[in-house]
Amino acid sequence: MIEPVHQQIEQIFHEASRQIFASLARTLRDLDLAEDAMQEAFASAAAQWPGEGVPENPVAWLITTGRFKAIDTIRRREKLQQISTEIAERMQQVAGANASHAATDIKDDRLRLIFTCCHPAIDLKVQVPLTLREVCGLTTDEIARAFLTTPATMAQRIVRGKAKIRDAAIPFVIPDLSELPERLDSVLSVIYLIFNEGYSASSGDSITRADLSSEAIRLCRLVLPLMEDAEVMGLLALMLLHESRRETRQTPDGDIVLLEDQDRSRWDRDLIAEGQRLIERSLASRRFGFYTIQAAISAVHADAVTANDTDWDQIVSLYDVLFRIEPTSVIQLNRAVAVAMRDGAESGLTIIQTILDRGDLLGYSLAHSARGELLRRVGRTADAIEAFETAMALTEQASEKRFLQEKLRKLRAF
């Protein structure tokens, strides 16, 4: 009986630990204290539940236990006879929350925590990484890869962000309507990166993490009623359109299935229809931007009955607009792939080579993988092998490694 209980605790940790952390953070107003309290609560569950049984509402039990653990921590930090007024008030608030706080009130705590981490008092470079670490539980290494920087640099940013929240006493609340616009860009960036990590995991055995992509969509649905901004609609549309293809992106064994080889009859048409309606609303507002254009590109793919029916000319045109809005090397890389599909591999290869020659995306595995594929198509086998080898050295995603290994096997056998 003990083993199934521990398995259940592990599952709860996997599915709800960040929700529990967000609720503790809101009450305690200290991210490090909340993290420690959550870990201690799970340790208590591992010690008590095998003998006492799993509570009817395990998440609420863990939150309540975490609060009491935090009180114990605060008491240990300060001798009771020397306790400061501030800490005494904090203890009273935490104890009061334990008595009155219901589990039904915790579902939006992760959204509150996102707005806290995206407070304008926090450095813009810190907001998104801090949120990914604290709200989603991504590792510092995963976040560093997403930002194409070193783990040490990213760790310093996250520490600075946590200190700012503590020292400036930034509130754990969803801001008033008047304050939403100045935080919206950061909040949407966070949700987008959460989804990206779920849709194309940077490491691990599976290419997808459904828990993260589903959470990103849920959070965006919560933001939309707060502010019916065109880009909120655009981001939600983009995620829904991508999510419609998730089940077809890998084989039952976890191997990658390219877009051109996916079974389009299995794409979720309801998600596609909802995404297309959101795009229409966003475009009608005439205030659309980065996310809406990306969603429109995804919609072109969704409209194609087969890969051969894809309107690559329209996709290239949309990438031209997107690059004017956000002139990044990653967007230029994606445009290069679309150009290769429209005009031939040599045209796309020239663009990718230009990006790499100026020193951009040298540590980005997908850039080398795309270059390898185009080199393969033009018959430059030795160069293609070298590019795929570079890509494989740069990725930590197991299914991507298998995909590249298979590419290399076929090229070497050629």
Side-chain angles (χ1 to χ4, degrees):
M1 190 66 182
I2 292 178
E3 191 61 33
V5 171
H6 283 301
Q7 289 174 354
Q8 191 169 350
I9 292 171
E10 288 179 10
Q11 182 177 356
I12 293 168
F13 186 87
H14 176 72
E15 294 177 353
S17 62
R18 302 325 293 178
Q19 174 189 343
I20 293 165
F21 168 77
S23 294
L24 290 170
R26 176 169 63 84
T27 303
L28 302 172
R29 293 174 300 182
D30 184 320
L31 298 182
D32 289 329
L33 181 59
E35 185 72 36
D36 290 343
M38 182 191 72
Q39 296 292 346
E40 288 192 38
F42 272 100
S44 294
Q48 294 176 223
W49 291 3
E52 299 175 5
V54 178
E56 184 177 345
N57 190 331
V59 170
W61 187 97
L62 287 159
I63 291 171
T64 299
T65 301
R67 290 197 189 100
F68 282 123
K69 294 294 183 183
I71 290 175
D72 291 341
T73 299
I74 292 170
R75 283 176 173 153
R76 287 196 299 270
R77 288 178 182 174
E78 298 283 339
K79 293 179 181 178
L80 285 177
Q81 63 269 29
Q82 298 175 346
I83 195 164
S84 70
T85 302
E86 180 185 351
I87 291 178
E89 289 175 354
R90 177 88 65 86
M91 287 169 58
Q92 187 175 1
Q93 290 167 357
V94 173
N98 274 335
S100 63
H101 190 70
T104 54
D105 189 38
I106 66 175
K107 65 179 182 179
D108 295 347
D109 279 337
R110 292 179 82 174
L111 186 61
R112 291 185 182 96
L113 185 51
I114 285 178
F115 278 108
T116 299
C117 293
C118 293
H119 193 280
I122 299 173
D123 188 336
L124 285 172
K125 286 192 219 176
V126 174
Q127 290 177 5
V128 175
L130 176 65
T131 313
L132 291 173
R133 179 69 190 93
E134 303 304 327
V135 179
C136 304
L138 297 189
T139 67
T140 303
D141 285 356
E142 288 172 333
I143 300 167
R145 282 195 294 272
F147 283 83
L148 303 180
T149 189
T150 66
T153 298
M154 190 54 65
Q156 290 175 351
R157 291 182 189 175
I158 292 168
V159 168
R160 286 204 310 271
K162 289 197 287 187
K164 186 66 177 181
I165 288 174
R166 182 185 63 248
D167 298 342
I170 293 172
F172 287 74
V173 296
I174 294 174
D176 294 334
L177 186 62
S178 62
E179 299 174 321
L180 281 174
E182 65 181 337
R183 299 200 213 177
L184 189 61
D185 285 349
S186 294
V187 169
L188 294 185
S189 294
V190 166
I191 293 174
Y192 182 49
L193 287 168
I194 294 170
F195 182 83
N196 280 346
E197 182 61 26
Y199 187 71
S200 296
S202 60
S203 60
D205 294 331
S206 176
I207 193 175
T208 63
R209 289 182 59 181
D211 58 326
L212 289 180
S213 56
S214 297
E215 177 65 7
I217 290 171
R218 188 189 75 82
L219 290 169
C220 200
R221 289 193 191 280
L222 290 175
V223 173
L224 186 55
L226 297 176
M227 191 172 185
E228 293 206 355
D229 182 89
E231 281 297 83
V232 181
M233 298 177 201
L235 176 56
L236 182 54
L238 174 62
M239 294 190 297
L240 291 172
L241 288 162
H242 281 335
E243 186 70 2
S244 72
R245 306 197 295 260
R246 183 169 60 84
E247 295 297 329
T248 66
R249 295 184 61 241
Q250 57 184 0
T251 67
D253 294 330
D255 291 329
I256 293 174
V257 180
L258 296 176
L259 178 62
E260 62 199 61
D261 299 321
Q262 290 172 18
D263 181 356
R264 297 178 181 228
S265 68
R266 293 176 55 208
W267 288 0
D268 190 321
R269 305 314 301 185
D270 290 337
L271 293 181
I272 290 171
E274 184 182 357
Q276 290 172 328
R277 289 193 297 271
L278 286 164
I279 292 170
E280 289 172 5
R281 287 174 60 191
S282 178
L283 292 174
S285 75
R286 298 186 179 277
R287 296 190 303 274
F288 57 87
F290 176 75
Y291 297 114
T292 301
I293 299 300
Q294 284 197 93
I297 291 170
S298 190
V300 175
H301 287 295
D303 284 338
V305 177
T306 69
N308 291 333
D309 296 324
T310 304
D311 188 343
W312 289 107
D313 190 51
Q314 186 179 2
I315 288 176
V316 171
S317 296
L318 287 168
Y319 270 121
D320 289 339
V321 175
L322 188 63
F323 189 73
R324 286 198 294 273
I325 296 172
E326 193 86 11
T328 68
S329 296
V330 172
I331 290 173
Q332 191 177 13
L333 172 66
N334 292 336
R335 180 184 176 276
V337 173
V339 167
M341 297 302 294
R342 184 190 68 177
D343 301 334
E346 285 284 8
S347 298
L349 191 56
T350 299
I351 298 171
I352 294 176
Q353 195 61 56
T354 299
I355 296 169
L356 296 174
D357 285 346
R358 67 171 180 250
D360 291 348
L361 304 185
L362 293 175
Y364 188 49
S365 66
L366 294 181
H368 297 282
S369 180
R371 178 172 176 268
E373 176 58 22
L374 297 183
L375 287 167
R376 183 195 67 79
R377 292 183 187 182
V378 299
R380 293 169 56 184
T381 303
D383 291 336
I385 289 173
E386 183 180 356
F388 283 133
E389 287 175 340
T390 301
M392 193 160 68
L394 290 170
T395 185
E396 295 187 28
Q397 220 293 318
S399 56
E400 192 173 321
K401 281 185 178 291
R402 291 196 301 272
F403 175 80
L404 293 168
Q405 285 168 347
E406 181 61 15
K407 288 278 189 184
L408 287 166
R409 185 190 67 77
K410 288 181 179 178
L411 282 172
R412 288 165 178 155
F414 184 71

